[in-house]
């Protein structure tokens, strides 16, 4: 697997990436985990620039949460992401392939608590 270039160990970017290892969070959560005081003059602006650039492509944004990309997590920790998806049950013997799926939404009155 291709190794991703990581920032200098003493940089703000690297500190933010280390904070993201603990899990996803908002800008303020990550800044706090990394030990930055956003009340300090100019620090919030500098950190926002780092976040806006996606911390060199290692981070993705999901709504308001920033999260470390799987490839970056593997590069930093050597941990491969858990494969997601559904595995066919043992009784499945057919040929795997795409099948149409019908999604039906119930009226709120019909939904059980």
């Amino acid at each position: 697997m291709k190794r991703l270039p990581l920032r200098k160990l003493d940089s703000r970017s690297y500190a933010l990436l280390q904070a993201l290892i603990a899990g996803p969070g908002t800008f303020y959560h990550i800044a706090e985990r990394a030990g930055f005081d956003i009340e300090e003059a100019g620090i919030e602006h500098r950190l926002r620039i780092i976040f806006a650039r996606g911390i060199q492509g290692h981070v993705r944004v999901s709504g308001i949460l920033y999260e470390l990309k799987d490839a970056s997590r593997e590069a930093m920790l050597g941990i491969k992401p858990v494969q997601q998806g559904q595995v066919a049950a043992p009784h499945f013997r057919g040929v795997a392939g795409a099948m149409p799926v019908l999604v039906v939404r119930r009226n709120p009155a019909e939904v059980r608590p």
Side-chain angles (χ1 to χ4, degrees):
M1 166 141 202
K2 179 178 131 182
R3 299 292 284 183
L4 296 173
L6 297 174
R7 306 302 298 160
K8 294 179 186 174
L9 298 180
D10 59 345
S11 69
R12 288 186 185 109
S13 298
Y14 191 77
L16 293 170
L17 289 171
Q18 288 293 321
L20 279 160
I21 287 174
T26 65
F27 169 82
Y28 296 105
H29 292 136
I30 303 304
E32 184 177 324
R33 273 191 228 152
F36 293 111
D37 180 11
I38 61 169
E39 299 296 323
E40 184 181 324
I43 195 72
E44 181 176 0
H45 175 70
R46 288 186 211 116
L47 293 178
R48 288 208 181 271
I49 290 171
I50 293 169
F51 274 89
R53 293 182 181 153
I55 311 179
Q56 302 299 324
H58 294 288
V59 176
R60 71 175 149 253
V61 181
S62 177
I64 63 169
L65 296 179
Y66 293 88
E67 57 188 356
L68 200 57
K69 291 181 179 178
D70 293 336
S72 298
R73 184 175 302 281
E74 182 180 349
M76 293 179 77
L77 300 173
I79 298 172
K80 292 193 178 207
V82 176
Q83 294 296 322
Q84 296 182 1
Q86 184 175 352
V87 178
H91 62 272
F92 179 77
R93 301 281 188 254
V95 176
M99 293 188 239
V101 175
L102 176 64
V103 177
V104 179
R105 297 186 186 254
R106 295 181 184 192
N107 291 328
E110 297 177 31
V111 177
R112 291 185 222 161

